[in-house]
Amino acid sequence: LGPFVSAGVATLALVGLIVAVIVLWKPPQFPELLVVGPRADGTLAAHPTATQSHAATMLAEWTNAGGDRPKLGADPSTLTDKDGWKAKLNPAAKSVVLAFAAHGDADPAGPYLWFPAGDAKAVDESQKLRVKEILDRLAGLPADQPKLLIFDATQVPAGWAFGSTHNDFARAVKELEPEIEKVPGLAVILSSDADQTSAVAEEWRSSAFAHFLGEGLNGAADRGAGRITAVDLFEYLKRELPKWSQANRDLEQLPVLLPAAGEALVSDILP
């Protein structure tokens, strides 16, 4: 019996060694989440960002719970300027979810997000992150890597601090749909449609969109397949968000999914 036991132990050891080599040679891939948003509550150059900050923290805590949830690409506290996220995009990740929680608007050059410094006295061009720049960065990732870009940028309908009389961010991003379609594997979700506001939910210390986004990523958007696609997440948001905004804030708020059709929409984002 002894030789058989020894042979069995040796076989198990060999199998374990083979598995270890495979894992080291080709580590398992996980989805990665990056949550980007300014921390500008100490400046008069922009509207307060407390709700965006809390939303970023909430999503980060969710990923840290482990399991088959996406890995956090970087702590949100390190992604508070308009450039830090760029180096954190991981081409080896199974999929990339890039979420921006920041005040946005549009000008003749296109849609942008505001990233004022904490001690800023006024807003200038250097503090704008152009959506076109974000698309260009995502275009540099592998073509077969699913990518989900999320914008919650319409909480403020107008901003006297930076000369905005009407937040036209959503309309301007929708006009970029041809550019979005050029980025392989990319889907984009906006928190509201043109001429609408992303409602703030004080009870959740975030926007209603951010709350339902977290719920959807946490499994509520799974339609029984054990995975979540961009369409799954959008359909959940489209069902829950308008009901809440209408009932609690008397606002019409419809999320937007871009492009309107394509393979990117049905690619697995999670797990």
Side-chain angles (χ1 to χ4, degrees):
L1 183 61
F4 291 104
V5 172
S6 299
V9 171
T11 301
L12 288 175
L14 179 59
V15 170
L17 178 61
I18 292 173
V19 170
V21 169
I22 292 174
V23 170
L24 291 174
W25 175 58
K26 190 176 182 180
Q29 292 179 305
F30 296 94
E32 283 202 7
L33 171 68
L34 292 173
V35 186
V36 186
R39 303 292 190 272
D41 293 329
T43 175
L44 296 178
H47 287 276
T49 59
T51 56
Q52 288 99 326
S53 299
H54 182 71
T57 301
M58 175 183 68
L59 289 172
E61 290 175 349
W62 168 70
T63 62
N64 288 334
D68 59 0
R69 299 179 181 188
K71 306 303 179 185
L72 196 64
D75 190 300
S77 65
T78 67
L79 303 178
T80 59
D81 62 61
K82 70 186 187 73
D83 295 316
W85 60 274
K86 298 173 183 176
K88 302 299 183 179
L89 291 174
N90 183 3
K94 181 178 180 181
S95 60
V96 170
V97 180
L98 178 60
F100 286 92
H103 297 309
D105 206 338
D107 59 21
Y112 59 83
L113 301 169
W114 277 119
F115 279 83
D119 58 351
K121 300 298 188 293
V123 172
D124 59 51
E125 186 68 25
S126 67
Q127 297 161 3
K128 295 179 180 180
L129 173 59
R130 297 283 175 183
V131 173
K132 288 182 180 178
E133 184 178 353
I134 299 172
L135 297 179
D136 288 343
R137 284 283 175 168
L138 292 175
L141 294 176
D144 61 350
Q145 183 183 55
K147 312 163 189 69
L148 178 59
L149 176 59
I150 301 171
F151 290 114
D152 189 9
T154 54
Q155 292 183 27
V156 179
W160 60 266
F162 42 88
S164 171
T165 58
H166 178 71
N167 190 329
D168 220 15
F169 180 84
R171 187 191 311 277
V173 174
K174 290 173 69 175
E175 292 175 353
L176 290 178
E177 185 169 6
E179 300 302 315
I180 293 170
E181 290 176 334
K182 293 178 183 177
V183 182
L186 175 63
V188 178
I189 294 179
L190 307 180
S191 61
S192 68
D193 207 339
D195 302 323
Q196 296 178 356
T197 300
S198 178
V200 173
E202 289 82 1
E203 56 267 50
W204 294 320
R205 298 170 57 203
S206 68
S207 69
F209 173 82
H211 170 78
F212 288 111
L213 174 66
E215 293 291 299
L217 292 173
N218 199 24
D222 183 355
R223 294 190 278 189
R227 59 188 178 86
I228 297 176
T229 67
V231 167
D232 294 333
L233 184 58
F234 174 72
E235 290 296 330
Y236 171 76
L237 291 167
K238 188 173 71 170
R239 182 175 69 250
E240 299 297 331
L241 185 58
K243 290 191 300 185
W244 188 94
S245 296
Q246 185 65 53
N248 294 276
R249 296 296 183 269
D250 195 25
L251 290 174
E252 182 181 21
Q253 182 179 355
L254 297 172
V256 175
L257 178 64
L258 300 170
E263 184 178 342
L265 305 185
V266 295
S267 298
D268 290 357
I269 300 297
L270 301 175

